[in-house]
Amino acid sequence: YNRLSKPGQPRDTSRKEARFTIIKEIEFYNDAKLKLTMKNLERLYQDDFGPLKVPHFVFKRLENNTLQMTCEYIKGRYVNKSEMETVKQYALLRVNDKQNPYTLADFHPNNWIVEGVPPYDIYGIDLDSYIECSMQERWIRSNRNIQIQEEYQKNPVTTR
């Protein structure tokens, strides 16, 4: 949570700072799939997606093959078409790490959030989609979401 003030830094006393977390629980019907997902999340801690960010997260195994992820909630908006190009470059094509077979493999625009405060970083938020994924499979997954992205751009959801 590096966006909150650090001890010893001057604080603007006219405002307040808050952070939010979200807890996601996934029940797996296959123990091997749960273990693989946990192994992938361990690997995600070390991965580098260039300008794309991953929220701070921790995870643990619960009873009944349940994975619990506690994750920093990123307050912001979904990516737009030009921001999806950045996602394409660094998550799909992995231009900064072309030999890396792992990526956040869900390219649905709702899984990429632009933080609502400067520097407006882009965050991948579907952390359990981090898998080993061939380039061919990445393109298939991406192409499935192109139509969804185009529809969203035509009729963006507005905040009330």
Side-chain angles (χ1 to χ4, degrees):
Y1 301 114
N2 58 5
R3 285 180 298 286
L4 296 178
S5 294
K6 308 282 188 276
Q9 285 183 335
R11 293 180 182 220
D12 180 351
T13 57
S14 66
R15 51 180 288 229
K16 62 183 178 181
E17 294 180 4
R19 68 173 164 235
F20 301 91
T21 56
I22 187 165
I23 298 172
K24 179 178 184 178
E25 291 185 358
I26 306 166
E27 185 177 347
F28 289 85
Y29 301 113
N30 178 316
D31 187 61
K33 178 68 173 156
L34 169 61
K35 288 178 180 175
L36 178 60
T37 301
M38 292 177 70
K39 181 180 172 185
N40 289 345
L41 289 171
E42 280 292 336
R43 183 182 175 98
L44 178 57
Y45 283 134
Q46 306 302 318
D47 209 336
D48 176 13
F49 289 91
L52 303 178
K53 309 288 185 207
V54 174
H56 174 76
F57 70 98
V58 294
F59 65 93
K60 64 183 175 182
R61 181 180 186 155
L62 303 177
E63 297 176 9
N64 301 327
N65 281 348
T66 299
L67 174 68
Q68 182 185 74
M69 292 186 294
T70 303
C71 183
E72 175 186 18
Y73 177 80
I74 304 299
K75 189 173 180 180
R77 60 171 174 77
Y78 300 137
V79 293
N80 62 31
K81 190 172 183 175
S82 73
E83 292 157 342
M84 273 306 288
E85 283 301 311
T86 302
V87 171
K88 177 180 169 184
Q89 291 297 310
Y90 289 92
L92 192 149
L93 298 175
R94 297 301 307 261
V95 296
N96 65 314
D97 192 1
K98 291 181 186 245
Q99 301 306 310
N100 192 337
Y102 288 82
T103 195
L104 291 165
D106 191 334
F107 301 105
H108 190 286
N110 292 359
N111 288 318
W112 300 91
I113 301 294
V114 178
E115 190 173 27
V117 296
Y120 307 108
D121 289 324
I122 299 173
Y123 283 81
I125 59 167
D126 190 14
L127 305 183
D128 56 295
S129 78
Y130 182 77
I131 59 172
E132 186 172 8
C133 189
S134 71
M135 188 59 68
Q136 179 180 2
E137 179 63 23
R138 291 178 203 182
W139 278 110
I140 291 168
R141 289 167 174 259
S142 175
N143 287 337
R144 270 189 235 143
N145 289 299
I146 288 175
Q147 184 177 7
I148 293 167
Q149 176 67 16
E150 288 172 353
E151 254 331 284
Y152 175 74
Q153 293 302 311
K154 288 179 193 172
N155 302 304
V157 178
T158 57
T159 307
R160 296 175 201 248

